[in-house]
mmCIF file with all atom_site columns, all heavy atoms in Angstrom:
data_model
loop_
_atom_site.group_PDB
_atom_site.id
_atom_site.type_symbol
_atom_site.label_atom_id
_atom_site.label_alt_id
_atom_site.label_comp_id
_atom_site.label_asym_id
_atom_site.label_entity_id
_atom_site.label_seq_id
_atom_site.pdbx_PDB_ins_code
_atom_site.Cartn_x
_atom_site.Cartn_y
_atom_site.Cartn_z
_atom_site.occupancy
_atom_site.B_iso_or_equiv
_atom_site.pdbx_formal_charge
_atom_site.auth_seq_id
_atom_site.auth_comp_id
_atom_site.auth_asym_id
_atom_site.auth_atom_id
_atom_site.pdbx_PDB_model_num
ATOM 1   N N   . PRO V 1 1  ? -2.565 21.917 -4.573 1.00 0.00 ? 10 PRO V N   1
ATOM 2   C CA  . PRO V 1 1  ? -2.582 20.674 -3.792 1.00 0.00 ? 10 PRO V CA  1
ATOM 3   C C   . PRO V 1 1  ? -1.830 20.790 -2.470 1.00 0.00 ? 10 PRO V C   1
ATOM 4   O O   . PRO V 1 1  ? -2.238 20.206 -1.468 1.00 0.00 ? 10 PRO V O   1
ATOM 5   C CB  . PRO V 1 1  ? -1.907 19.664 -4.728 1.00 0.00 ? 10 PRO V CB  1
ATOM 6   C CG  . PRO V 1 1  ? -2.110 20.206 -6.090 1.00 0.00 ? 10 PRO V CG  1
ATOM 7   C CD  . PRO V 1 1  ? -2.066 21.691 -5.944 1.00 0.00 ? 10 PRO V CD  1
ATOM 8   N N   . VAL V 1 2  ? -0.737 21.554 -2.457 1.00 0.00 ? 11 VAL V N   1
ATOM 9   C CA  . VAL V 1 2  ? -0.003 21.767 -1.208 1.00 0.00 ? 11 VAL V CA  1
ATOM 10  C C   . VAL V 1 2  ? -0.879 22.532 -0.218 1.00 0.00 ? 11 VAL V C   1
ATOM 11  O O   . VAL V 1 2  ? -0.987 22.162 0.962  1.00 0.00 ? 11 VAL V O   1
ATOM 12  C CB  . VAL V 1 2  ? 1.311  22.528 -1.473 1.00 0.00 ? 11 VAL V CB  1
ATOM 13  C CG1 . VAL V 1 2  ? 1.938  22.986 -0.163 1.00 0.00 ? 11 VAL V CG1 1
ATOM 14  C CG2 . VAL V 1 2  ? 2.286  21.644 -2.251 1.00 0.00 ? 11 VAL V CG2 1
ATOM 15  N N   . ARG V 1 3  ? -1.533 23.602 -0.693 1.00 0.00 ? 12 ARG V N   1
ATOM 16  C CA  . ARG V 1 3  ? -2.395 24.389 0.187  1.00 0.00 ? 12 ARG V CA  1
ATOM 17  C C   . ARG V 1 3  ? -3.520 23.541 0.764  1.00 0.00 ? 12 ARG V C   1
ATOM 18  O O   . ARG V 1 3  ? -3.824 23.601 1.968  1.00 0.00 ? 12 ARG V O   1
ATOM 19  C CB  . ARG V 1 3  ? -2.998 25.568 -0.592 1.00 0.00 ? 12 ARG V CB  1
ATOM 20  C CG  . ARG V 1 3  ? -3.806 26.528 0.284  1.00 0.00 ? 12 ARG V CG  1
ATOM 21  C CD  . ARG V 1 3  ? -4.911 27.226 -0.512 1.00 0.00 ? 12 ARG V CD  1
ATOM 22  N NE  . ARG V 1 3  ? -5.870 26.277 -1.042 1.00 0.00 ? 12 ARG V NE  1
ATOM 23  C CZ  . ARG V 1 3  ? -6.829 25.689 -0.320 1.00 0.00 ? 12 ARG V CZ  1
ATOM 24  N NH1 . ARG V 1 3  ? -6.950 25.939 0.984  1.00 0.00 ? 12 ARG V NH1 1
ATOM 25  N NH2 . ARG V 1 3  ? -7.663 24.837 -0.892 1.00 0.00 ? 12 ARG V NH2 1
ATOM 26  N N   . ALA V 1 4  ? -4.154 22.724 -0.097 1.00 0.00 ? 13 ALA V N   1
ATOM 27  C CA  . ALA V 1 4  ? -5.281 21.909 0.355  1.00 0.00 ? 13 ALA V CA  1
ATOM 28  C C   . ALA V 1 4  ? -4.865 20.964 1.477  1.00 0.00 ? 13 ALA V C   1
ATOM 29  O O   . ALA V 1 4  ? -5.563 20.832 2.490  1.00 0.00 ? 13 ALA V O   1
ATOM 30  C CB  . ALA V 1 4  ? -5.860 21.126 -0.821 1.00 0.00 ? 13 ALA V CB  1
ATOM 31  N N   . ARG V 1 5  ? -3.721 20.324 1.334  1.00 0.00 ? 14 ARG V N   1
ATOM 32  C CA  . ARG V 1 5  ? -3.278 19.338 2.323  1.00 0.00 ? 14 ARG V CA  1
ATOM 33  C C   . ARG V 1 5  ? -2.801 20.005 3.615  1.00 0.00 ? 14 ARG V C   1
ATOM 34  O O   . ARG V 1 5  ? -3.086 19.516 4.708  1.00 0.00 ? 14 ARG V O   1
ATOM 35  C CB  . ARG V 1 5  ? -2.201 18.447 1.710  1.00 0.00 ? 14 ARG V CB  1
ATOM 36  C CG  . ARG V 1 5  ? -2.783 17.445 0.714  1.00 0.00 ? 14 ARG V CG  1
ATOM 37  C CD  . ARG V 1 5  ? -1.762 16.970 -0.311 1.00 0.00 ? 14 ARG V CD  1
ATOM 38  N NE  . ARG V 1 5  ? -2.347 15.954 -1.178 1.00 0.00 ? 14 ARG V NE  1
ATOM 39  C CZ  . ARG V 1 5  ? -3.148 16.217 -2.211 1.00 0.00 ? 14 ARG V CZ  1
ATOM 40  N NH1 . ARG V 1 5  ? -3.460 17.463 -2.518 1.00 0.00 ? 14 ARG V NH1 1
ATOM 41  N NH2 . ARG V 1 5  ? -3.633 15.227 -2.947 1.00 0.00 ? 14 ARG V NH2 1
ATOM 42  N N   . LEU V 1 6  ? -2.080 21.101 3.492  1.00 0.00 ? 15 LEU V N   1
ATOM 43  C CA  . LEU V 1 6  ? -1.645 21.805 4.697  1.00 0.00 ? 15 LEU V CA  1
ATOM 44  C C   . LEU V 1 6  ? -2.839 22.357 5.468  1.00 0.00 ? 15 LEU V C   1
ATOM 45  O O   . LEU V 1 6  ? -2.859 22.351 6.705  1.00 0.00 ? 15 LEU V O   1
ATOM 46  C CB  . LEU V 1 6  ? -0.691 22.944 4.322  1.00 0.00 ? 15 LEU V CB  1
ATOM 47  C CG  . LEU V 1 6  ? 0.683  22.534 3.789  1.00 0.00 ? 15 LEU V CG  1
ATOM 48  C CD1 . LEU V 1 6  ? 1.458  23.769 3.328  1.00 0.00 ? 15 LEU V CD1 1
ATOM 49  C CD2 . LEU V 1 6  ? 1.478  21.768 4.831  1.00 0.00 ? 15 LEU V CD2 1
ATOM 50  N N   . SER V 1 7  ? -3.848 22.804 4.732  1.00 0.00 ? 16 SER V N   1
ATOM 51  C CA  . SER V 1 7  ? -5.037 23.346 5.381  1.00 0.00 ? 16 SER V CA  1
ATOM 52  C C   . SER V 1 7  ? -5.869 22.242 6.020  1.00 0.00 ? 16 SER V C   1
ATOM 53  O O   . SER V 1 7  ? -6.256 22.336 7.187  1.00 0.00 ? 16 SER V O   1
ATOM 54  C CB  . SER V 1 7  ? -5.873 24.120 4.355  1.00 0.00 ? 16 SER V CB  1
ATOM 55  O OG  . SER V 1 7  ? -7.055 24.616 4.945  1.00 0.00 ? 16 SER V OG  1
ATOM 56  N N   . LEU V 1 8  ? -6.150 21.174 5.263  1.00 0.00 ? 17 LEU V N   1
ATOM 57  C CA  . LEU V 1 8  ? -6.957 20.071 5.794  1.00 0.00 ? 17 LEU V CA  1
ATOM 58  C C   . LEU V 1 8  ? -6.288 19.442 7.013  1.00 0.00 ? 17 LEU V C   1
ATOM 59  O O   . LEU V 1 8  ? -6.955 19.041 7.965  1.00 0.00 ? 17 LEU V O   1
ATOM 60  C CB  . LEU V 1 8  ? -7.166 19.013 4.709  1.00 0.00 ? 17 LEU V CB  1
ATOM 61  C CG  . LEU V 1 8  ? -8.131 19.375 3.578  1.00 0.00 ? 17 LEU V CG  1
ATOM 62  C CD1 . LEU V 1 8  ? -8.019 18.363 2.448  1.00 0.00 ? 17 LEU V CD1 1
ATOM 63  C CD2 . LEU V 1 8  ? -9.559 19.435 4.089  1.00 0.00 ? 17 LEU V CD2 1
ATOM 64  N N   . GLY V 1 9  ? -4.955 19.340 6.958  1.00 0.00 ? 18 GLY V N   1
ATOM 65  C CA  . GLY V 1 9  ? -4.232 18.719 8.053  1.00 0.00 ? 18 GLY V CA  1
ATOM 66  C C   . GLY V 1 9  ? -3.942 19.636 9.222  1.00 0.00 ? 18 GLY V C   1
ATOM 67  O O   . GLY V 1 9  ? -3.374 19.181 10.220 1.00 0.00 ? 18 GLY V O   1
ATOM 68  N N   . SER V 1 10 ? -4.335 20.912 9.118  1.00 0.00 ? 19 SER V N   1
ATOM 69  C CA  . SER V 1 10 ? -4.014 21.897 10.158 1.00 0.00 ? 19 SER V CA  1
ATOM 70  C C   . SER V 1 10 ? -2.539 21.789 10.552 1.00 0.00 ? 19 SER V C   1
ATOM 71  O O   . SER V 1 10 ? -2.183 21.767 11.735 1.00 0.00 ? 19 SER V O   1
ATOM 72  C CB  . SER V 1 10 ? -4.906 21.696 11.393 1.00 0.00 ? 19 SER V CB  1
ATOM 73  O OG  . SER V 1 10 ? -6.262 21.880 11.070 1.00 0.00 ? 19 SER V OG  1
ATOM 74  N N   . VAL V 1 11 ? -1.685 21.714 9.535  1.00 0.00 ? 20 VAL V N   1
ATOM 75  C CA  . VAL V 1 11 ? -0.248 21.529 9.760  1.00 0.00 ? 20 VAL V CA  1
ATOM 76  C C   . VAL V 1 11 ? 0.331  22.772 10.413 1.00 0.00 ? 20 VAL V C   1
ATOM 77  O O   . VAL V 1 11 ? 0.128  23.897 9.939  1.00 0.00 ? 20 VAL V O   1
ATOM 78  C CB  . VAL V 1 11 ? 0.464  21.217 8.432  1.00 0.00 ? 20 VAL V CB  1
ATOM 79  C CG1 . VAL V 1 11 ? 1.976  21.232 8.611  1.00 0.00 ? 20 VAL V CG1 1
ATOM 80  C CG2 . VAL V 1 11 ? 0.000  19.864 7.888  1.00 0.00 ? 20 VAL V CG2 1
ATOM 81  N N   . ARG V 1 12 ? 1.069  22.572 11.500 1.00 0.00 ? 21 ARG V N   1
ATOM 82  C CA  . ARG V 1 12 ? 1.636  23.699 12.249 1.00 0.00 ? 21 ARG V CA  1
ATOM 83  C C   . ARG V 1 12 ? 3.086  23.963 11.851 1.00 0.00 ? 21 ARG V C   1
ATOM 84  O O   . ARG V 1 12 ? 3.542  25.106 11.892 1.00 0.00 ? 21 ARG V O   1
ATOM 85  C CB  . ARG V 1 12 ? 1.551  23.411 13.749 1.00 0.00 ? 21 ARG V CB  1
ATOM 86  C CG  . ARG V 1 12 ? 1.961  24.590 14.594 1.00 0.00 ? 21 ARG V CG  1
ATOM 87  C CD  . ARG V 1 12 ? 1.765  24.340 16.055 1.00 0.00 ? 21 ARG V CD  1
ATOM 88  N NE  . ARG V 1 12 ? 2.311  25.450 16.835 1.00 0.00 ? 21 ARG V NE  1
ATOM 89  C CZ  . ARG V 1 12 ? 2.586  25.385 18.125 1.00 0.00 ? 21 ARG V CZ  1
ATOM 90  N NH1 . ARG V 1 12 ? 2.331  24.278 18.804 1.00 0.00 ? 21 ARG V NH1 1
ATOM 91  N NH2 . ARG V 1 12 ? 3.089  26.423 18.748 1.00 0.00 ? 21 ARG V NH2 1
ATOM 92  N N   . VAL V 1 13 ? 3.826  22.899 11.489 1.00 0.00 ? 22 VAL V N   1
ATOM 93  C CA  . VAL V 1 13 ? 5.239  23.036 11.129 1.00 0.00 ? 22 VAL V CA  1
ATOM 94  C C   . VAL V 1 13 ? 5.463  22.363 9.783  1.00 0.00 ? 22 VAL V C   1
ATOM 95  O O   . VAL V 1 13 ? 5.033  21.223 9.566  1.00 0.00 ? 22 VAL V O   1
ATOM 96  C CB  . VAL V 1 13 ? 6.162  22.391 12.185 1.00 0.00 ? 22 VAL V CB  1
ATOM 97  C CG1 . VAL V 1 13 ? 7.628  22.517 11.769 1.00 0.00 ? 22 VAL V CG1 1
ATOM 98  C CG2 . VAL V 1 13 ? 5.937  23.028 13.549 1.00 0.00 ? 22 VAL V CG2 1
ATOM 99  N N   . LEU V 1 14 ? 6.146  23.062 8.885  1.00 0.00 ? 23 LEU V N   1
ATOM 100 C CA  . LEU V 1 14 ? 6.511  22.512 7.581  1.00 0.00 ? 23 LEU V CA  1
ATOM 101 C C   . LEU V 1 14 ? 8.018  22.574 7.416  1.00 0.00 ? 23 LEU V C   1
ATOM 102 O O   . LEU V 1 14 ? 8.633  23.601 7.690  1.00 0.00 ? 23 LEU V O   1
ATOM 103 C CB  . LEU V 1 14 ? 5.836  23.301 6.451  1.00 0.00 ? 23 LEU V CB  1
ATOM 104 C CG  . LEU V 1 14 ? 6.263  22.936 5.023  1.00 0.00 ? 23 LEU V CG  1
ATOM 105 C CD1 . LEU V 1 14 ? 5.805  21.531 4.647  1.00 0.00 ? 23 LEU V CD1 1
ATOM 106 C CD2 . LEU V 1 14 ? 5.728  23.961 4.015  1.00 0.00 ? 23 LEU V CD2 1
ATOM 107 N N   . VAL V 1 15 ? 8.603  21.464 6.960  1.00 0.00 ? 24 VAL V N   1
ATOM 108 C CA  . VAL V 1 15 ? 10.021 21.436 6.605  1.00 0.00 ? 24 VAL V CA  1
ATOM 109 C C   . VAL V 1 15 ? 10.098 21.253 5.096  1.00 0.00 ? 24 VAL V C   1
ATOM 110 O O   . VAL V 1 15 ? 9.520  20.316 4.539  1.00 0.00 ? 24 VAL V O   1
ATOM 111 C CB  . VAL V 1 15 ? 10.762 20.293 7.326  1.00 0.00 ? 24 VAL V CB  1
ATOM 112 C CG1 . VAL V 1 15 ? 12.247 20.305 6.953  1.00 0.00 ? 24 VAL V CG1 1
ATOM 113 C CG2 . VAL V 1 15 ? 10.592 20.417 8.843  1.00 0.00 ? 24 VAL V CG2 1
ATOM 114 N N   . THR V 1 16 ? 10.786 22.156 4.416  1.00 0.00 ? 25 THR V N   1
ATOM 115 C CA  . THR V 1 16 ? 10.890 22.103 2.972  1.00 0.00 ? 25 THR V CA  1
ATOM 116 C C   . THR V 1 16 ? 12.234 22.689 2.558  1.00 0.00 ? 25 THR V C   1
ATOM 117 O O   . THR V 1 16 ? 13.076 23.013 3.411  1.00 0.00 ? 25 THR V O   1
ATOM 118 C CB  . THR V 1 16 ? 9.710  22.861 2.320  1.00 0.00 ? 25 THR V CB  1
ATOM 119 O OG1 . THR V 1 16 ? 9.755  22.688 0.901  1.00 0.00 ? 25 THR V OG1 1
ATOM 120 C CG2 . THR V 1 16 ? 9.730  24.338 2.657  1.00 0.00 ? 25 THR V CG2 1
ATOM 121 N N   . THR V 1 17 ? 12.466 22.819 1.259  1.00 0.00 ? 26 THR V N   1
ATOM 122 C CA  . THR V 1 17 ? 13.689 23.468 0.779  1.00 0.00 ? 26 THR V CA  1
ATOM 123 C C   . THR V 1 17 ? 13.365 24.910 0.390  1.00 0.00 ? 26 THR V C   1
ATOM 124 O O   . THR V 1 17 ? 12.192 25.250 0.140  1.00 0.00 ? 26 THR V O   1
ATOM 125 C CB  . THR V 1 17 ? 14.279 22.738 -0.441 1.00 0.00 ? 26 THR V CB  1
ATOM 126 O OG1 . THR V 1 17 ? 13.374 22.867 -1.547 1.00 0.00 ? 26 THR V OG1 1
ATOM 127 C CG2 . THR V 1 17 ? 14.492 21.259 -0.125 1.00 0.00 ? 26 THR V CG2 1
ATOM 128 N N   . ASP V 1 18 ? 14.392 25.728 0.316  1.00 0.00 ? 27 ASP V N   1
ATOM 129 C CA  . ASP V 1 18 ? 14.144 27.121 -0.049 1.00 0.00 ? 27 ASP V CA  1
ATOM 130 C C   . ASP V 1 18 ? 13.547 27.236 -1.452 1.00 0.00 ? 27 ASP V C   1
ATOM 131 O O   . ASP V 1 18 ? 12.654 28.069 -1.695 1.00 0.00 ? 27 ASP V O   1
ATOM 132 C CB  . ASP V 1 18 ? 15.412 27.967 0.082  1.00 0.00 ? 27 ASP V CB  1
ATOM 133 C CG  . ASP V 1 18 ? 16.641 27.311 -0.516 1.00 0.00 ? 27 ASP V CG  1
ATOM 134 O OD1 . ASP V 1 18 ? 16.521 26.258 -1.176 1.00 0.00 ? 27 ASP V OD1 1
ATOM 135 O OD2 . ASP V 1 18 ? 17.744 27.855 -0.312 1.00 0.00 ? 27 ASP V OD2 1
ATOM 136 N N   . LEU V 1 19 ? 13.997 26.394 -2.383 1.00 0.00 ? 28 LEU V N   1
ATOM 137 C CA  . LEU V 1 19 ? 13.476 26.461 -3.749 1.00 0.00 ? 28 LEU V CA  1
ATOM 138 C C   . LEU V 1 19 ? 12.010 26.049 -3.800 1.00 0.00 ? 28 LEU V C   1
ATOM 139 O O   . LEU V 1 19 ? 11.186 26.707 -4.451 1.00 0.00 ? 28 LEU V O   1
ATOM 140 C CB  . LEU V 1 19 ? 14.313 25.571 -4.673 1.00 0.00 ? 28 LEU V CB  1
ATOM 141 C CG  . LEU V 1 19 ? 15.782 25.974 -4.831 1.00 0.00 ? 28 LEU V CG  1
ATOM 142 C CD1 . LEU V 1 19 ? 16.500 25.002 -5.754 1.00 0.00 ? 28 LEU V CD1 1
ATOM 143 C CD2 . LEU V 1 19 ? 15.893 27.407 -5.362 1.00 0.00 ? 28 LEU V CD2 1
ATOM 144 N N   . LEU V 1 20 ? 11.658 24.949 -3.116 1.00 0.00 ? 29 LEU V N   1
ATOM 145 C CA  . LEU V 1 20 ? 10.267 24.509 -3.112 1.00 0.00 ? 29 LEU V CA  1
ATOM 146 C C   . LEU V 1 20 ? 9.377  25.499 -2.377 1.00 0.00 ? 29 LEU V C   1
ATOM 147 O O   . LEU V 1 20 ? 8.225  25.717 -2.762 1.00 0.00 ? 29 LEU V O   1
ATOM 148 C CB  . LEU V 1 20 ? 10.154 23.120 -2.477 1.00 0.00 ? 29 LEU V CB  1
ATOM 149 C CG  . LEU V 1 20 ? 10.668 21.953 -3.327 1.00 0.00 ? 29 LEU V CG  1
ATOM 150 C CD1 . LEU V 1 20 ? 10.663 20.662 -2.522 1.00 0.00 ? 29 LEU V CD1 1
ATOM 151 C CD2 . LEU V 1 20 ? 9.825  21.791 -4.596 1.00 0.00 ? 29 LEU V CD2 1
ATOM 152 N N   . TYR V 1 21 ? 9.898  26.127 -1.339 1.00 0.00 ? 30 TYR V N   1
ATOM 153 C CA  . TYR V 1 21 ? 9.102  27.122 -0.608 1.00 0.00 ? 30 TYR V CA  1
ATOM 154 C C   . TYR V 1 21 ? 8.730  28.284 -1.531 1.00 0.00 ? 30 TYR V C   1
ATOM 155 O O   . TYR V 1 21 ? 7.568  28.710 -1.577 1.00 0.00 ? 30 TYR V O   1
ATOM 156 C CB  . TYR V 1 21 ? 9.866  27.646 0.608  1.00 0.00 ? 30 TYR V CB  1
ATOM 157 C CG  . TYR V 1 21 ? 9.076  28.703 1.351  1.00 0.00 ? 30 TYR V CG  1
ATOM 158 C CD1 . TYR V 1 21 ? 8.090  28.340 2.257  1.00 0.00 ? 30 TYR V CD1 1
ATOM 159 C CD2 . TYR V 1 21 ? 9.298  30.065 1.107  1.00 0.00 ? 30 TYR V CD2 1
ATOM 160 C CE1 . TYR V 1 21 ? 7.336  29.309 2.918  1.00 0.00 ? 30 TYR V CE1 1
ATOM 161 C CE2 . TYR V 1 21 ? 8.557  31.037 1.761  1.00 0.00 ? 30 TYR V CE2 1
ATOM 162 C CZ  . TYR V 1 21 ? 7.580  30.651 2.669  1.00 0.00 ? 30 TYR V CZ  1
ATOM 163 O OH  . TYR V 1 21 ? 6.823  31.607 3.301  1.00 0.00 ? 30 TYR V OH  1
ATOM 164 N N   . ARG V 1 22 ? 9.718  28.801 -2.257 1.00 0.00 ? 31 ARG V N   1
ATOM 165 C CA  . ARG V 1 22 ? 9.458  29.956 -3.118 1.00 0.00 ? 31 ARG V CA  1
ATOM 166 C C   . ARG V 1 22 ? 8.439  29.618 -4.208 1.00 0.00 ? 31 ARG V C   1
ATOM 167 O O   . ARG V 1 22 ? 7.583  30.434 -4.545 1.00 0.00 ? 31 ARG V O   1
ATOM 168 C CB  . ARG V 1 22 ? 10.760 30.438 -3.747 1.00 0.00 ? 31 ARG V CB  1
ATOM 169 C CG  . ARG V 1 22 ? 11.707 31.116 -2.767 1.00 0.00 ? 31 ARG V CG  1
ATOM 170 C CD  . ARG V 1 22 ? 12.890 31.753 -3.485 1.00 0.00 ? 31 ARG V CD  1
ATOM 171 N NE  . ARG V 1 22 ? 13.736 32.493 -2.558 1.00 0.00 ? 31 ARG V NE  1
ATOM 172 C CZ  . ARG V 1 22 ? 14.845 31.992 -1.993 1.00 0.00 ? 31 ARG V CZ  1
ATOM 173 N NH1 . ARG V 1 22 ? 15.233 30.756 -2.273 1.00 0.00 ? 31 ARG V NH1 1
ATOM 174 N NH2 . ARG V 1 22 ? 15.557 32.739 -1.159 1.00 0.00 ? 31 ARG V NH2 1
ATOM 175 N N   . ARG V 1 23 ? 8.535  28.391 -4.742 1.00 0.00 ? 32 ARG V N   1
ATOM 176 C CA  . ARG V 1 23 ? 7.658  28.027 -5.867 1.00 0.00 ? 32 ARG V CA  1
ATOM 177 C C   . ARG V 1 23 ? 6.257  27.619 -5.421 1.00 0.00 ? 32 ARG V C   1
ATOM 178 O O   . ARG V 1 23 ? 5.275  27.915 -6.114 1.00 0.00 ? 32 ARG V O   1
ATOM 179 C CB  . ARG V 1 23 ? 8.278  26.853 -6.643 1.00 0.00 ? 32 ARG V CB  1
ATOM 180 C CG  . ARG V 1 23 ? 9.577  27.154 -7.356 1.00 0.00 ? 32 ARG V CG  1
ATOM 181 C CD  . ARG V 1 23 ? 10.122 25.868 -7.959 1.00 0.00 ? 32 ARG V CD  1
ATOM 182 N NE  . ARG V 1 23 ? 11.488 26.011 -8.418 1.00 0.00 ? 32 ARG V NE  1
ATOM 183 C CZ  . ARG V 1 23 ? 12.315 24.978 -8.662 1.00 0.00 ? 32 ARG V CZ  1
ATOM 184 N NH1 . ARG V 1 23 ? 11.881 23.744 -8.464 1.00 0.00 ? 32 ARG V NH1 1
ATOM 185 N NH2 . ARG V 1 23 ? 13.538 25.171 -9.077 1.00 0.00 ? 32 ARG V NH2 1
ATOM 186 N N   . LYS V 1 24 ? 6.156  26.946 -4.285 1.00 0.00 ? 33 LYS V N   1
ATOM 187 C CA  . LYS V 1 24 ? 4.908  26.245 -3.986 1.00 0.00 ? 33 LYS V CA  1
ATOM 188 C C   . LYS V 1 24 ? 4.234  26.648 -2.682 1.00 0.00 ? 33 LYS V C   1
ATOM 189 O O   . LYS V 1 24 ? 3.053  26.374 -2.492 1.00 0.00 ? 33 LYS V O   1
ATOM 190 C CB  . LYS V 1 24 ? 5.173  24.739 -3.980 1.00 0.00 ? 33 LYS V CB  1
ATOM 191 C CG  . LYS V 1 24 ? 5.838  24.290 -5.273 1.00 0.00 ? 33 LYS V CG  1
ATOM 192 C CD  . LYS V 1 24 ? 5.971  22.797 -5.412 1.00 0.00 ? 33 LYS V CD  1
ATOM 193 C CE  . LYS V 1 24 ? 6.598  22.470 -6.769 1.00 0.00 ? 33 LYS V CE  1
ATOM 194 N NZ  . LYS V 1 24 ? 6.492  21.056 -7.098 1.00 0.00 ? 33 LYS V NZ  1
ATOM 195 N N   . VAL V 1 25 ? 4.965  27.271 -1.786 1.00 0.00 ? 34 VAL V N   1
ATOM 196 C CA  . VAL V 1 25 ? 4.366  27.630 -0.501 1.00 0.00 ? 34 VAL V CA  1
ATOM 197 C C   . VAL V 1 25 ? 4.183  29.140 -0.375 1.00 0.00 ? 34 VAL V C   1
ATOM 198 O O   . VAL V 1 25 ? 3.122  29.610 0.067  1.00 0.00 ? 34 VAL V O   1
ATOM 199 C CB  . VAL V 1 25 ? 5.209  27.088 0.673  1.00 0.00 ? 34 VAL V CB  1
ATOM 200 C CG1 . VAL V 1 25 ? 4.526  27.413 2.015  1.00 0.00 ? 34 VAL V CG1 1
ATOM 201 C CG2 . VAL V 1 25 ? 5.421  25.582 0.540  1.00 0.00 ? 34 VAL V CG2 1
ATOM 202 N N   . ALA V 1 26 ? 5.201  29.891 -0.755 1.00 0.00 ? 35 ALA V N   1
ATOM 203 C CA  . ALA V 1 26 ? 5.098  31.350 -0.637 1.00 0.00 ? 35 ALA V CA  1
ATOM 204 C C   . ALA V 1 26 ? 3.848  31.920 -1.315 1.00 0.00 ? 35 ALA V C   1
ATOM 205 O O   . ALA V 1 26 ? 3.186  32.803 -0.749 1.00 0.00 ? 35 ALA V O   1
ATOM 206 C CB  . ALA V 1 26 ? 6.362  32.002 -1.201 1.00 0.00 ? 35 ALA V CB  1
ATOM 207 N N   . PRO V 1 27 ? 3.448  31.417 -2.519 1.00 0.00 ? 36 PRO V N   1
ATOM 208 C CA  . PRO V 1 27 ? 2.259  31.988 -3.170 1.00 0.00 ? 36 PRO V CA  1
ATOM 209 C C   . PRO V 1 27 ? 0.957  31.764 -2.402 1.00 0.00 ? 36 PRO V C   1
ATOM 210 O O   . PRO V 1 27 ? -0.018 32.508 -2.619 1.00 0.00 ? 36 PRO V O   1
ATOM 211 C CB  . PRO V 1 27 ? 2.216  31.259 -4.528 1.00 0.00 ? 36 PRO V CB  1
ATOM 212 C CG  . PRO V 1 27 ? 3.621  30.804 -4.765 1.00 0.00 ? 36 PRO V CG  1
ATOM 213 C CD  . PRO V 1 27 ? 4.160  30.465 -3.409 1.00 0.00 ? 36 PRO V CD  1
#
């Protein structure tokens, strides 16, 4: 779901936490 929304929104900048990044964005 994170990938779908970042892709659909053509998001250029994301602010997150290091823990959430490792679990949900890095993959």
Side-chain angles (χ1 to χ4, degrees):
V11 169
R12 186 208 62 77
R14 286 156 176 80
L15 291 174
S16 178
L17 287 168
S19 298
V20 171
R21 187 175 174 197
V22 179
L23 173 67
V24 181
T25 186
T26 66
D27 46 8
L28 297 179
L29 287 173
Y30 178 82
R31 289 188 175 96
R32 294 175 192 162
K33 306 187 178 192
V34 183

